[in-house]
Amino acid sequence: MLADHEQDRLVELLVATAEVIGDQLRPTAAAFIVNDLAGYPLPALEKALAACRRELKGRLSLAAILERIDDGHPAPNEAWANAIRAADEAATVVWTEQTRDSWTAALPLIEAGDKIAARQAFLEVYTRLTKDARAAGQLAVHHASIGFDASGRDAVLQRAVAAGQLAHEQVAEHLALPPATPAFNPVALLAGRVEASPEANARTRARLAELAELLGAPSAKAAA
């Protein structure tokens, strides 16, 4: 919900936008529009009104503003194309709450092998859910459905973080850890030498040198 000072700012933006496109907005009309838009964050409304100034001619309406709010809800066919990936339990999918709930409604038909009916059911539920969300001024909220294929998981989650759909903290535990780097060179050890890896710190190098001395094996420092 917009704070009082944000609502005042929105009134200013509405009046200025109307003037730019050759319209006039009365205070009463502006108050009604602000009330209908108060559920959206101000930055999203500022972008929508900027689009109105670029694209509209002659009249500013609530419908025109709503059409230009980037609320994060994908188009129905885009949502279906993303959701159908969840049919593979190995796949990690990042989707909105509406996409997830619509997929749940369509899943029995998928399991029955009727993909056409499943798509139709999905689109019907998704259209209704997104309509309700937009009427309530709700932006899309994304969640991750984690598949068991770890090799393909990172790319999906990293893309979602880069797109601002998920915070890194939400997915950090599911991201693969970088491969551990040994403190010593295993190939050199097979040849009878104790040799620190390039990534080893000074303390590790000193300990390896001590180990080499105890074992009577040449160290990288001695070999040099």
Side-chain angles (χ1 to χ4, degrees), residues 33-194:
I33 293 177
V34 168
N35 184 65
D36 289 333
L37 297 177
Y40 293 100
L42 186 59
L45 296 173
E46 289 174 335
K47 291 180 180 179
L49 288 170
C52 288
R53 292 192 293 273
R54 291 193 303 268
E55 300 166 8
L56 295 181
K57 295 181 179 179
R59 187 169 183 271
L60 180 65
S61 67
L62 175 62
I65 299 170
L66 290 172
E67 288 175 0
R68 289 163 175 80
I69 295 176
D70 183 7
D71 56 17
H73 293 288
N77 285 326
E78 181 183 356
W80 166 253
N82 186 41
I84 192 64
R85 297 176 57 247
D88 181 0
E89 294 183 357
T92 292
V93 180
V94 175
W95 51 13
T96 64
E97 295 175 348
Q98 290 73 26
T99 304
R100 177 198 61 200
D101 295 345
S102 301
W103 173 252
T104 299
L107 186 56
L109 294 168
I110 288 287
E111 294 174 339
D114 194 343
K115 185 176 177 180
I116 295 176
R119 180 178 179 275
Q120 182 177 355
F122 175 93
L123 294 177
E124 289 177 357
V125 175
Y126 182 79
T127 299
R128 173 173 54 81
L129 292 179
T130 51
K131 182 179 180 180
D132 291 344
R134 283 168 171 156
Q138 297 174 354
L139 301 183
V141 176
H142 289 79
H143 300 277
S145 174
I146 305 299
F148 62 77
D149 179 13
S151 64
R153 185 184 305 156
D154 276 21
V156 174
L157 297 179
Q158 294 285 14
R159 281 198 300 269
V161 171
Q165 297 172 343
L166 296 174
H168 185 271
E169 293 75 15
Q170 292 177 271
V171 301
E173 65 180 294
H174 301 296
L175 296 175
L177 295 175
T181 302
F184 58 88
N185 184 339
V187 176
L189 188 61
L190 290 175
R193 301 192 313 274
V194 178

